[in-house]
Structures are given as structure tokens and as C-alpha cells.
Amino acid sequence: MTLRSGVTSRYAWLVVAACSTSVSDPVPVPVPVPVPDAVPVPVSALTPPVRLPAGATPLAYDLRLEVDPAAPHFTGHVAIRIRLDSPTDHVWLDADELDITHASFRAGPHPEPLATLATGDGVRAFGFGRTLPPGEVTLELDYTGGTAHDEQGLFRQRAGSRWYLFSQAESVYARRFVPCFDEPGFKTPWRITLDVPAHDIALSNMPQASEHALADGRREVAFAETPRQPSYLVAVAVGPFELVEAGTVGRAHVPLRVAALAGQRGRVPVAAARLPAIVDAAETLLDEPLPLAKLDLVVVPHLFGAMENPGLITFDARILVGDSAQTAREFDRVAAHELVHQWFGDLVTPGWWDDLWLAEAFATWLGERIVIQLGRSPDPALRRALSRQDALAADDDPGAPALRPKIEHAADAEDEFSAIAYDKGAAVLETIAAWQGDVTMFAALRGYLRAHRGGTATARDLYAAFDAEPARALAGLVEHPGVPVVELALRCDAKPVLAARVRGGFAVPVCARYGDASATHRTCALVADRGELVLDGGCPTWVVGNDRAAYYDVAWQTQPPLGPVPPLAQLAPGEVIAAGEDVAAGFERGEVNAADALTAIDRLAREPSPYAQLGGLAIARAIDPIVDDATRPRWSAWLARRFAYPPGDKPVDHVLRDAIAELFAPAKVDPDGALASWLGGHGSMWDWLDYFDRGATRSRAWHAVHGHLAQIVKRLGGELPTAADELGKLCDAGARAELAVALPAKDKHVVRALAAIDRCVARRARSGEVAAALR
């Protein structure tokens, strides 16, 4: 799945606005149908579990959905064949916002009533009325549900005057359209049948097996049984689509179609033109054919991005509709990501949400690799640098989780679709690949796919695919939260060495490039508590302590903040940006003083390279939050003398302009008016919330907001987590105290925001140091 739109990315210049919006009607309250009375069971059995308990395993699903995109409700019937591993009188299923109208089970020749015993947060216990021995049982449930939650479960959207219905089951939304074992570790074959309006197209994961007319004028469309797949990849789409045949792709000649919205048949040329090469590149790298029977790319009027459902990948309309260069670039990036998921996530599925990175990190890293290999990335070095930058920022948040976090409840999985799983995961994989080399890296990945094909895997399964040293390095980077900090010191005694130590005690692959006017060398070592990288030749005149910008910060121990670097023109774009980020991180940790940080900014800003200037701006962003209002005019003037908006139209020019603008107030500053308009029901919350992004407007934004906190919290509703993240950019103890009273104290986003403010307030004690350095 592509990164959710709520997550900030510094390469937002690649994204264009969606071309339509969605509309939903209120869901009518269904008339409840009685189900059998509960039978006595032990009290412990009635306690809703955090995860589905062991002892019952789904073996096959037969799902029928009666849907009409024009209606705000649907009807379902599911038969689930399960295996009971031990004697039991009940079974737990995931089911959310569904009205069960009839339930039965079959353990012998005749159906018997299945009673609802207990309900919890998205789960229900069903009782058999007696204790069943181990063996197979078939559950059958009839139910109704609604389509009110846009982009969750079954949802419908309107394009023009026509209605369409789609599914979005990841992460925990399959349970909103079918009672099931809604956890990724359960991979089960599905037979899906859709009863749909006569003139609508019906699609699912697999090719259509049959269809026939129903007596009431609708059509019944049945699909071939899927391979084993988790519930979060079950997909359907129904509506007046126009199907565009686009040939075949891959070694197995998989049929490719685009399901365009009505009237858009001629507006979806990018898939047929650009997808075959993406599939070929992925198959070559992985030495595996695309594991699909067919592939439909489905246009959704408005979606967060795209979703990798096997055989039915859904895309926001802006990604598939159009023939501009921008559409082509966006399609390449997103389609490559979703295609990689057909192996990493679909063919081999994470056993639980703590290993989401096994899907999203690989799709991000390898998808980008493919786009670069095909020559379709306008500035691959910049994209990688900015992706790494997003990862560093997310990993620096208070309480940032490890790449493999602890997740107890499935509902918490939604929070893991973040820059940690995507960008940090991709940076970690690139770090291992740059150290080990592509031949070794891809041999390990092919072995991993072969070993777990069609099943599930954990991080330990991936580690096992590597030799001992890379496995140890990968585990350290995956299991430990935060950005690794590598201390480096150049020593030129009897034999030149680069002394290294990793803070935290886990192992990190450290690669350095060094040399003098006549030669350049590279050296790598796996470093934990202490280590040495032996340098060939005499004492080098320059050292790049992080060759190829791997995922760690460098803290130079014996040199100025930028270290003994070569002339900056010799650095790769990612390396020069990383050099600035190293100084920025050192300043935030309190290890680089303000005067040295400003000197580093000055050196980077003088370079003609826009990448060097981005490195300087990374340091400026680290300083900016602690600049108080009294110092800000001098700080802004100091920056303005060093950075100017570039006139070009290359991607790096756009990013550089955005980075400069972030440090200055916009021409029009009216947070009071923007807030008043939003509170009055007009405009977007971002009209006033964006003012918290800039230090130059943050005080004005807080002045507008703090007197209306109760009203704002009430109006925010489900948007509170996003707003809390932005409010966490404040750097004022008084604001922190007001927010602590006004915001829900136990909300994890609020807790994180308050911790971020606390940290910035502590750092602001150094504001006098900045003021003195500006003199």
C-alpha cells in the first residue's frame, strides 16, 4: 500500500491533486433479527481477546455479497470451514459494524444454531451450545452492513452521476464486510460471489468463473478460488466501469486490464505503455514470475494512494488517468511499489502487524530501485535523500517505535503505516545492500521468497536468509528504535585508522570513503561498541564517514562538525545532504554548539550545488524551533543573506524553494481568519494548521488558537491525531500546559505531542547561544 496521504513527505512535488471527490449517504439502521440465546460458558471465555485465540484455524471461505453501489447498505453470507485443534464450546471471529441476522454451524449432517455469546472491540464469540471435539466445522452467517466509512471496508463513491463500490480491507477493515479471522497470519483460499445490478461490472481478486442472470434482474458473478491469502487482501469492485484490455505482462503472460470510470476509456494509456517494463524488471531482480492469474488496475475517484490487492490493484484516479509526464512519473513510482507487493506482502505475508515492514519497506526500496533502473526517476539521488530525511525525522520523534514495533492489538496496526515502515525500512535495506553488494543481497531475498512462498514470515525468517554478519546488522537496525549514532575519529599514528563506536551497543555496518589528491579508497566494517576501520596508504586528507548515505548519523570526535570532508563538489548529492543532517542531529543532541552549526550552514550555503544548500537548510531547520521571538528577526535576516529561491524547474529546485519557504513567513499571514472560517464550517483545517509548520508563524498561530481550544477539539473529531502532531511543533511551556488540559490526556498522539514540546522547551534554553552566535 502506498504511504497514507496524512504522512508528510518532502517530495510532495511529485503529487498532484485528486480529480474528484467522494459522496456517501447515511447508513439506515437495520432492523435487528433475533439470533439464538447465549448458552452458559465460563466467564473467562467471555472476555474479548486482544488477538484471536489459538485453537481455531480457517481452512476455506465461501463469501457471497449482494451489493448495489447506489445503495448505502449491503447483504452478505459467508461459510467458513474451520479446524478446531482442541475441544471447545465456542469460537471467536472478527466482526465489526455488522448485524448478524442468522448464524449456524455444521459439525455433522445437519445445521445447528450458532449463538452470539459476547462482543468486544471488533470481535464476537459464537457458541456451539455444546463442546465439540477437535475436527472440522463449517460456520455459516448471514448479515448486513453499511458503506459509510470512506476508504474502509466496503465503501462507495460517486463520479459524476454514477456510483461505484470498492473494498479496502487493510489493515483491519475486512471485518466490516465479512465476519472472519481478520489477522494477516491466517492465509486461506476464498471463493467470492457477487450479486450486482445487471449493468454493472463486477471484479475481484481472481478471474471470473461464471455469471448468470437472477430472477430479480440482477446478475450473479462468481470468481475462481484464490490461492491462500489473508483477509486484508480480499478485494471487490463494482460499478459502471469501462474495461480496457491492455495485453499481457510478465513471463506467464498475465492478462492486464484497466477498469476505467464511465466515459474515461480513452484516458488511461499509462498502464499499457509503462507497466510491462516494470513487471519485467521485478521478475528479473527476484527471478520469480508475477504470481497472479490476472491483473486489473482499478480507478477509484478518490483514494489515499493505491492498494496492492492481488489481481485487483486499486489506484487513486490521478495516478491512472491522464497522459502527462507528471501522470507517467507518478504511475511508475506507485505501480512499481504495488507490483513489488505481489511478492513481498502478498506471496509472502507478514505473520503479524509488527512485521508490516517486511511488506512496505521492500515495496518502497525495491520499487524505487526498479524506477531508477528503468531511467524513469527525474532525480533518483534526491528522492533517496529526501526519503532518508523523512525517516530520520520520524525516527527522532519522542517515543518513535522500532522498525519492528510491539503491536498487541490489530487496531494499532494503522499507526504503523508511517515513514518508519516505509522510509526507514527502505533506508535500512539500502544500507545492507550497499555494504553487502547487490549479488549477495538479491541471492538472500530470492532464498527468502522460495522458503516462504505462499505462506507467512517474520523478521527472523528474513534474518535467516542472510549470513551471520548481515543478519546481525539487519536485526540491530530493525529491532532498535531511533537513528544509530556512529562516533568517528581519524587517527594517523603508526597506521592510519578510523576509530568507530556505535552508541547503544548494537551492530551497524559502517562504510567510509577516503583519500587524497591522488587516490580514493573505500572501507567497511560491522561496528558495535568499538571498532576500527583500517585505512590503506598514508594519512588521508579527507574522509566521508558515511559512504552512500547509509542509515546512521556521524558524530565526529576529533574534527569540526562537518569532519575532514573533501571539497563538497566531490560528494554525491545524498552524501552532502547527509553531512548537513549529521551536523543538525549533533546540534539537537547538544554536541554541536550554535557557532559551529552556523559555520557549517555558511559553508554549505556558499556552494553552488543545490544539494549542498539542502544540507545547510537541514541544519537551519534544527536550529529554527529554539529561536525565540526576540531573536527571530536577526535569524531570518541571517538566513536571507545566505539562501535565495532558485529560478529553475528541476525537482531539486522545487524542493529547495519549499525548504527555504519553510523557514520564512508567507506573504499573507492570517491564522485568526483561517481558524474562524474553519470553525464556521468552511475551508480545511490545514488552512490554519499549516501555520504551525513554520517557526516564523508559529507564535501567531498559537495566539489565534489557544483561546478556542475546547471548540477546536470538539470540531476536530477523528482528525485529532493529525492536529496533535502539528501542535507538537510548539516550543513553549505555557502552550504545553494549556494543551495538556484541553486535549485527551490518554491519547497516544497527544502524549507524543506533549513530549515533543517538552524536548523543544528543554532545547530552547540554548536560544541565547544562537543569539550570541548571530552577532
Side-chain angles (χ1 to χ4, degrees):
M1 180 164 63
T2 51
L3 190 58
R4 299 291 178 91
S5 58
V7 179
T8 301
S9 172
R10 293 195 181 277
Y11 42 85
W13 51 271
L14 287 173
V15 180
V16 296
C19 62
S20 57
T21 57
S22 58
V23 180
S24 296
D25 291 340
V27 178
V29 179
V31 178
V33 178
V35 295
D37 293 336
V39 296
V41 295
V43 173
S44 60
L46 297 176
T47 303
V50 173
R51 290 180 59 176
L52 294 178
T57 304
L59 302 177
Y61 289 91
D62 194 337
L63 171 64
R64 176 185 293 270
L65 294 172
E66 299 179 25
V67 298
D68 182 347
H73 58 272
F74 64 90
T75 300
H77 172 85
V78 66
I80 314 172
R81 183 162 58 89
I82 66 172
R83 183 185 68 242
L84 301 178
D85 298 324
S86 58
T88 185
D89 59 4
H90 69 281
V91 64
W92 285 93
L93 295 178
D94 292 303
D96 190 23
E97 300 186 16
L98 297 176
D99 288 296
I100 309 296
T101 57
H102 180 267
S104 64
F105 73 96
R106 188 186 295 269
H110 304 294
E112 302 177 58
L114 190 64
T116 300
L117 299 181
T119 60
D121 184 12
V123 295
R124 300 188 193 188
F126 294 93
F128 300 121
R130 58 189 174 89
T131 298
L132 298 183
E136 291 188 12
V137 177
T138 297
L139 314 178
E140 295 204 37
L141 301 101
D142 295 311
Y143 56 93
T144 62
T147 56
H149 296 284
D150 201 16
E151 303 180 37
Q152 296 178 1
L154 287 188
F155 66 96
R156 65 196 191 110
Q157 292 182 359
R158 186 166 59 194
S161 61
R162 315 294 287 275
W163 284 97
Y164 300 81
L165 179 136
F166 308 92
S167 63
Q168 174 57 38
E170 192 179 32
S171 57
V172 291
Y173 304 129
R175 66 190 67 184
R176 288 188 178 169
F177 60 86
V178 55
C180 59
F181 293 77
D182 196 15
E183 295 183 1
F186 295 108
K187 294 190 75 171
T188 312
W190 291 74
R191 286 190 181 275
I192 298 173
T193 302
L194 300 177
D195 293 347
V196 302
H199 300 294
D200 277 347
I201 298 293
L203 304 170
S204 189
N205 300 94
M206 295 297 288
Q208 181 176 310
S210 66
E211 71 168 284
H212 68 269
L214 299 174
D216 60 5
R218 295 178 301 155
R219 289 166 42 246
E220 177 190 273
V221 183
F223 301 90
E225 185 175 71
T226 72
R228 295 169 59 214
Q229 68 179 45
S231 55
Y232 81 81
L233 293 176
V234 172
V236 299
V238 178
F241 296 107
E242 295 183 1
L243 295 180
V244 180
E245 301 290 341
T248 63
V249 292
R251 299 176 184 177
H253 306 290
V254 176
L256 173 66
R257 299 185 300 186
V258 178
L261 302 178
Q264 294 187 350
R265 171 183 293 276
R267 299 188 60 204
V268 289
V270 294
R274 306 184 75 83
L275 191 67
I278 293 173
V279 175
D280 290 345
E283 289 184 338
T284 300
L285 287 170
L286 300 175
D287 196 24
E288 284 264 0
L290 182 65
L292 298 175
K294 62 94 177 175
L295 178 55
D296 292 334
L297 309 185
V298 180
V299 177
V300 181
H302 176 68
L303 192 65
F304 49 80
M307 177 63 202
E308 68 269 17
N309 311 302
L312 193 160
I313 303 178
T314 49
F315 289 84
D316 184 276
R318 65 183 167 80
I319 301 169
L320 271 178
V321 179
D323 57 2
S324 68
Q326 174 65 40
T327 301
R329 285 194 297 269
E330 185 73 353
F331 175 80
D332 288 337
R333 182 180 68 85
V334 177
H337 182 105
E338 306 309 330
L339 257 294
V340 172
H341 269 311
Q342 305 309 305
W343 290 271
F344 292 93
D346 295 7
L347 184 67
V348 179
T349 303
W352 180 241
W353 296 113
D354 55 359
D355 277 316
L356 175 67
W357 74 280
L358 288 175
E360 298 301 347
F362 276 99
T364 303
W365 171 68
L366 190 51
E368 190 65 25
R369 276 280 188 117
I370 289 168
V371 174
I372 293 171
Q373 178 181 310
L374 294 175
R376 296 179 180 179
S377 178
D379 192 334
L382 177 66
R383 279 194 56 84
R384 280 182 171 166
L386 296 179
S387 176
R388 180 181 183 271
Q389 197 171 79
D390 286 342
L392 296 174
D395 221 7
D396 189 49
D397 277 351
L403 188 51
R404 188 173 193 258
K406 183 178 181 181
I407 299 179
E408 295 182 350
H409 198 289
D412 294 333
E414 280 296 288
D415 289 336
E416 302 314 313
F417 291 88
S418 69
I420 297 292
Y422 291 74
D423 297 308
K424 178 179 178 177
V428 165
L429 293 173
E430 183 62 24
T431 295
I432 301 298
W435 170 43
Q436 290 290 293
D438 281 358
V439 172
T440 300
M441 183 74 172
F442 281 98
L445 298 184
R446 291 165 186 159
Y448 164 79
L449 289 175
R450 287 193 299 269
H452 303 285
R453 183 184 183 89
T456 62
T458 67
R460 291 190 177 186
D461 294 321
L462 180 65
Y463 306 156
F466 288 88
D467 291 337
E469 277 208 336
R472 182 186 175 204
L474 188 57
L477 291 167
V478 167
E479 308 287 347
H480 289 81
V483 183
V485 178
V486 177
E487 296 178 357
L488 293 179
L490 176 62
R491 294 175 182 163
C492 292
D493 301 325
K495 186 167 181 60
V497 298
L498 197 60
R501 184 176 82 89
V502 178
R503 297 176 187 174
F506 61 96
V508 173
V510 177
C511 290
R513 195 168 73 252
Y514 61 96
D516 52 29
S518 60
T520 297
H521 307 277
R522 185 175 190 258
T523 182
C524 294
L526 186 62
V527 178
D529 185 40
R530 293 194 181 277
E532 289 185 346
L533 284 74
V534 178
L535 309 182
D536 292 333
C539 189
T541 58
W542 58 265
V543 178
V544 177
N546 189 348
D547 181 57
R548 304 184 194 177
Y551 196 70
Y552 58 84
D553 285 337
V554 171
W556 285 101
Q557 302 300 293
T558 58
Q559 299 289 339
L562 284 173
V565 297
L568 295 181
Q570 296 183 21
L571 288 174
E575 292 171 342
V576 72
I577 293 174
E581 288 165 344
D582 289 340
V583 177
F587 178 82
E588 290 177 334
R589 293 192 301 267
E591 299 165 10
V592 174
N593 63 45
D596 284 345
L598 293 180
T599 298
I601 293 175
D602 198 48
R603 181 181 176 188
L604 291 165
R606 288 199 310 268
E607 293 291 325
S609 164
Y611 305 100
Q613 293 170 42
L614 285 173
L617 287 166
I619 307 171
R621 278 197 303 274
I623 296 172
D624 190 71
I626 73 167
V627 175
D628 56 31
D629 289 346
T631 308
R632 186 157 296 280
R634 282 193 294 132
W635 167 242
S636 296
W638 190 90
L639 290 174
R641 290 193 297 271
R642 285 156 180 82
F643 296 102
Y645 290 100
D649 198 40
K650 295 179 181 178
V652 69
D653 297 321
H654 288 273
V655 173
L656 186 54
R657 282 195 290 270
D658 288 346
I660 293 171
E662 185 180 336
L663 294 169
F664 294 94
K668 181 181 179 182
V669 180
D670 185 19
D672 299 87
L675 177 64
S677 177
W678 177 76
L679 289 174
H682 307 290
S684 163
M685 71 173 183
W686 290 106
D687 293 341
W688 58 271
L689 208 53
D690 271 344
Y691 286 109
F692 287 92
D693 267 342
R694 292 181 170 94
T697 57
R698 206 165 285 142
S699 293
R700 289 277 301 274
W702 174 246
H703 184 269
V705 161
H706 80 101
H708 305 280
L709 283 176
Q711 191 179 359
I712 289 170
V713 171
K714 183 178 180 180
R715 174 91 162 80
L716 281 169
E719 298 288 352
L720 175 64
T722 301
D725 288 343
E726 293 301 305
L727 293 169
K729 295 174 181 177
L730 288 163
C731 197
D732 179 88
R736 195 263 189 219
E738 289 190 49
L739 290 173
V741 172
L743 300 180
K746 294 184 179 180
D747 183 276
K748 57 189 173 185
H749 299 277
V750 172
V751 171
R752 187 172 64 193
L754 296 179
I757 297 173
D758 287 339
R759 185 171 62 168
C760 189
V761 168
R763 289 174 177 166
R764 184 163 271 194
R766 300 177 65 191
S767 60
E769 179 187 326
V770 176
L774 289 170
R775 293 196 180 100

